[in-house]
Amino acid sequence: MITSKPAISSYAIDNIRGKIANLRELGFTDPVKMITSNPPILGLAIDNIRGKITDLRELGFADPVKMITSNPPILGLAIDNIRGKIADLRELGSADPVKMVTSHPAILGLAIGSIRGKITNLRAAGFTDPVKMITSSPATLGYAGDNILGKIADLRELGFADPVKMITSKPPILGYTIENIRAKIADLRGLGFADPVKLIRWSPAILGYAIDNIRGKIADLRELGFADPVKMIRVSPEILGLRMDNIRRKIADLHDLGFANPVKTITCLPSILPCHVDTIRGKIANLRDLGFVDPVKMITSTPSILSYAVNSIRGKIANLRDLGFADPVKMITTLPAILCYAVENIRTKIIGLRELGFSDPVKMITSLPAILGYAIDSIRSKLADLRQLGFADPVKMITSLPAIMGYARERLLLCGKIVMQLDDDGTDGMFAQLLRQPRAVIDAIAAAQPRTWSEVRIIMAAARRNAKP
């Protein structure tokens, strides 16, 4: 130590020993390390150090000792200079200069003109709010303007379309070497992420996670029963920031709330994991207050319900009632996905059905809410197919059996062809029955080319007997 810092040799060893003891009494846990990094401390009177701690506390710094430990040169700064720096930072737009300095004490050693210049440079580089950026990550002040511009260019070359936006959301990125970022992208690809750049763009914080930790998180999730952890993380990258104990606890909490298969529920909506259990409990209670008898069952079938504000759900119920639906709660209970549909789209679907010839679309949708998920062009095509097959009134047929709209076009055409070749009347009813049969039964009937409904029924019965073990 004396070799690297010759000035220390001018102090008596007893004085050095006393200074170490005094610093320890003031709360510094490693005075030797402090002095080693900043030997001039030995020349400061202990009363002055004590006074500096008091002054810093009066300025609003909650833990001056911790602050000085991280940046010992602070002890050499006049308190008036520190006070002036805080005022200057406030004039530059910082809402909380004390917090800013606490997180990065080295700011006190920077000239205000230098800080002002850095803000100007950041703005010129495309950052709209440099002050906010510096406030959230004061270490930004330590990077040269050319280095920042170079980092932006390098990130763009790696495939990031908007490096400025990315850095704005996670300023510490400026501290990562481009080689490390490139290596992280390669490592993520090796773990199974098809588009690491997109993943990082969604959650720049990933650049701060060690690849071994990410690998471990994937393995841990797999052990908990998640079949495709990579897909889960791709959908909700913030999972990487969660402790496994918290994830394990969330699964247990969901069990306690009544979810029979929490792993499946989380798989469908990975963003549940960062969600606090009290928030989920509150959403269940709110749904119950709105009239839903089994909110857990609803959420299980459509987990995204948890992402909807209760006022939004209340508004959807009111909107459905305004559109003519007598019991929106029952309707949503039957098909929770209705909450995902914009009310304008529902209104458009009603108008579209009416234009196709359906006299009471609201009644139709009430009997089969799934209709709201069918594209109007698909419904129009099915009407045309049925009409081409020879059915006299496809609109009437679908009105009496809306479920027809839910079958694939191939099945409709095959069943329609079979029925229209029969010598019997009552083709609409036969068609409806045939549609509900297993595909193997329908294929057997088509292959036999029956001429009467009685023959069809014989083939259906035989096919069912053959299907039994």
Side-chain angles (χ1 to χ4, degrees):
M1 189 169 84
I2 292 174
T3 301
S4 61
K5 303 288 183 180
I8 293 178
S9 63
S10 63
Y11 298 105
I13 195 67
D14 287 342
N15 290 343
I16 296 175
R17 188 178 287 111
K19 183 60 64 64
I20 290 172
N22 290 333
L23 288 170
R24 194 168 277 118
E25 287 177 6
L26 288 176
F28 296 97
T29 57
D30 194 345
V32 172
K33 182 178 180 180
M34 271 181 71
I35 294 169
T36 301
S37 67
N38 193 45
I41 289 175
L42 290 173
L44 300 175
I46 200 67
D47 286 342
N48 289 344
I49 296 176
R50 186 180 289 109
K52 181 63 64 62
I53 291 173
T54 300
D55 290 338
L56 288 170
R57 193 168 280 117
E58 288 178 357
L59 286 176
F61 295 99
D63 192 344
V65 170
K66 182 179 179 180
M67 187 174 155
I68 294 168
T69 298
S70 66
N71 193 35
I74 289 174
L75 289 174
L77 301 177
I79 198 67
D80 286 342
N81 289 345
I82 296 175
R83 188 179 287 111
K85 181 62 63 61
I86 290 172
D88 289 337
L89 290 171
R90 191 169 279 116
E91 287 180 7
L92 287 177
S94 175
D96 192 344
V98 170
K99 181 178 179 181
M100 193 171 161
V101 173
T102 298
S103 65
H104 194 65
I107 289 174
L108 292 175
L110 299 176
I112 199 66
S114 174
I115 296 174
R116 189 177 285 110
K118 184 59 64 67
I119 290 172
T120 299
N121 291 336
L122 287 169
R123 193 168 280 118
F127 297 97
T128 56
D129 194 344
V131 172
K132 182 178 179 180
M133 186 175 159
I134 293 169
T135 299
S136 67
S137 182
T140 302
L141 290 171
Y143 305 124
D146 289 343
N147 290 345
I148 294 175
L149 290 174
K151 182 61 63 63
I152 291 172
D154 289 338
L155 288 170
R156 193 167 279 118
E157 287 180 6
L158 286 177
F160 296 99
D162 193 344
V164 170
K165 181 179 179 181
M166 189 174 154
I167 294 169
T168 298
S169 67
K170 191 71 176 177
I173 289 174
L174 291 172
Y176 305 145
T177 66
I178 203 66
E179 288 77 13
N180 288 343
I181 296 175
R182 186 179 288 110
K184 181 63 64 63
I185 291 172
D187 288 336
L188 288 169
R189 190 170 282 115
L191 289 176
F193 295 97
D195 192 343
V197 170
K198 183 177 181 181
L199 185 71
I200 294 169
R201 190 169 65 244
W202 283 351
S203 181
I206 290 173
L207 289 174
Y209 301 141
I211 199 67
D212 286 341
N213 290 344
I214 297 175
R215 185 180 289 108
K217 182 63 64 65
I218 291 171
D220 290 338
L221 288 170
R222 194 167 279 118
E223 286 181 8
L224 287 177
F226 296 99
D228 193 345
V230 169
K231 182 179 179 180
M232 273 180 69
I233 294 168
R234 190 170 64 244
V235 173
S236 186
E238 58 267 34
I239 290 173
L240 289 174
L242 302 176
R243 290 161 47 102
M244 283 312 298
D245 287 346
N246 292 340
I247 295 175
R248 197 172 282 108
R249 191 177 303 114
K250 179 60 64 61
I251 292 173
D253 289 337
L254 289 172
H255 257 303
D256 293 342
L257 288 175
F259 293 92
N261 190 343
V263 169
K264 183 177 179 181
T265 302
I266 294 169
T267 298
C268 293
L269 187 70
S271 59
I272 289 176
L273 283 176
C275 186
H276 198 280
V277 69
D278 287 341
T279 301
I280 299 174
R281 186 179 289 111
K283 182 61 65 64
I284 291 172
N286 290 332
L287 288 169
R288 196 167 278 117
D289 290 342
L290 288 174
F292 296 100
V293 178
D294 193 345
V296 170
K297 183 178 180 180
M298 273 179 70
I299 294 169
T300 298
S301 67
T302 309
S304 59
I305 289 174
L306 287 173
S307 64
Y308 303 143
V310 67
N311 286 336
S312 175
I313 296 174
R314 187 179 287 112
K316 181 64 64 65
I317 291 172
N319 290 331
L320 288 170
R321 195 168 278 118
D322 291 342
L323 288 174
F325 296 98
D327 192 345
V329 170
K330 181 179 179 181
M331 188 173 157
I332 294 169
T333 299
T334 303
L335 186 70
I338 289 174
L339 291 174
C340 306
Y341 304 143
V343 68
E344 285 305 318
N345 290 344
I346 296 175
R347 183 178 288 110
T348 300
K349 181 62 62 64
I350 291 172
I351 294 171
L353 289 169
R354 192 169 282 119
E355 290 175 349
L356 288 176
F358 296 98
S359 59
D360 194 344
V362 170
K363 183 177 179 180
M364 271 181 70
I365 295 169
T366 299
S367 65
L368 186 70
I371 290 173
L372 290 174
Y374 304 149
I376 203 71
D377 286 341
S378 175
I379 297 172
R380 184 182 291 108
S381 296
K382 287 177 181 176
L383 286 172
D385 288 337
L386 291 171
R387 198 168 280 117
Q388 189 171 355
L389 285 168
F391 291 99
D393 193 344
V395 170
K396 181 180 178 181
M397 187 164 62
I398 292 176
T399 299
S400 62
L401 187 65
I404 289 174
M405 284 188 284
Y407 291 106
R409 183 170 184 257
E410 183 190 7
R411 178 181 285 251
L412 287 178
L413 292 173
L414 182 57
C415 291
K417 183 178 179 182
I418 292 171
V419 169
M420 296 310 293
Q421 289 176 346
L422 299 177
D423 296 332
D424 307 76
D425 293 327
T427 52
D428 289 5
M430 298 173 192
F431 179 64
Q433 288 187 54
L434 191 56
L435 276 174
R436 292 192 288 264
Q437 300 304 313
R439 182 54 191 260
V441 173
I442 296 173
D443 288 340
I445 294 170
Q449 297 184 346
R451 300 302 305 172
T452 66
W453 183 247
S454 295
E455 293 177 22
V456 171
R457 294 178 63 184
I458 292 171
I459 297 168
M460 282 195 292
R464 281 195 292 266
R465 282 196 302 272
N466 294 334
K468 290 182 180 179

